[in-house]
Amino acid sequence: MIRFSLGCDHGHEFEGWFRSSDDFETQRKRGLIDCPDCGSHHVDKTLMAPAVSTGRRREKMALAMNAEQRRIMGEMKALSEKLRENADYVGDKFAEEARKIHFGETDARGIYGEASPDEAKSLAEDGVPFMPIPVFPEHRN
Ligand SMILES: [Zn+2]
């Protein structure tokens, strides 16, 4: 027996047990499967929710080899420190806080913290101005 996550055309979700994927298709085509909530026969398999990843996101790295690159790296480091000096660290609440500040729900101030790729995408879509900042090992909070 295989368990499938199913959904109807009204957005109800439920589960069903079938002998095989073919068995499911046959029953579905014959209208033998109906939604327990609304009785709709327009039922199909839904995608399983993806497993939640708890791993830390990989960060971009740079290795400075010549004098010019090392000079730039030093400047980036200084800028990064300056940015942090005048900003509040908000940890993983970055997206939440950035949005509040952008929409005037809390005091306007500089903040820095961490955001997941999804949070960053959603912030960009909302027009919140933010940018990734370089992280040096000694800055890890
Ligand atoms: Zn339904």
Side-chain angles (χ1 to χ4, degrees), residues 8-26:
C8 81
D9 56 346
H10 293 104
H12 303 125
E13 289 181 9
F14 53 101
E15 289 178 342
W17 288 91
F18 301 90
R19 281 196 301 275
S20 64
S21 196
D22 285 348
D23 180 43
F24 165 77
E25 286 301 330
T26 307

Side-chain angles (χ1 to χ4, degrees), residues 41-102:
H41 293 288
H42 297 277
V43 166
D44 212 342
K45 278 183 272 192
T46 60
L47 291 171
M48 300 295 261
V52 175
S53 167
T54 53
R56 276 185 72 91
R57 186 181 170 203
R58 293 175 71 82
E59 285 150 6
K60 287 190 173 68
M61 298 290 170
L63 174 66
M65 291 304 289
N66 65 31
E68 175 66 3
Q69 287 166 343
R70 275 199 294 274
R71 188 184 65 75
I72 293 169
M73 203 173 242
E75 280 179 7
M76 272 169 64
K77 202 164 162 175
L79 284 173
S80 171
E81 269 158 21
K82 218 175 184 95
L83 198 77
R84 284 151 203 272
E85 256 171 38
N86 300 301
D88 287 344
Y89 177 70
V90 295
D92 59 7
K93 296 267 193 304
F94 179 79
E96 197 182 315
E97 285 298 310
R99 193 169 269 119
K100 275 191 204 159
I101 290 165
H102 183 68

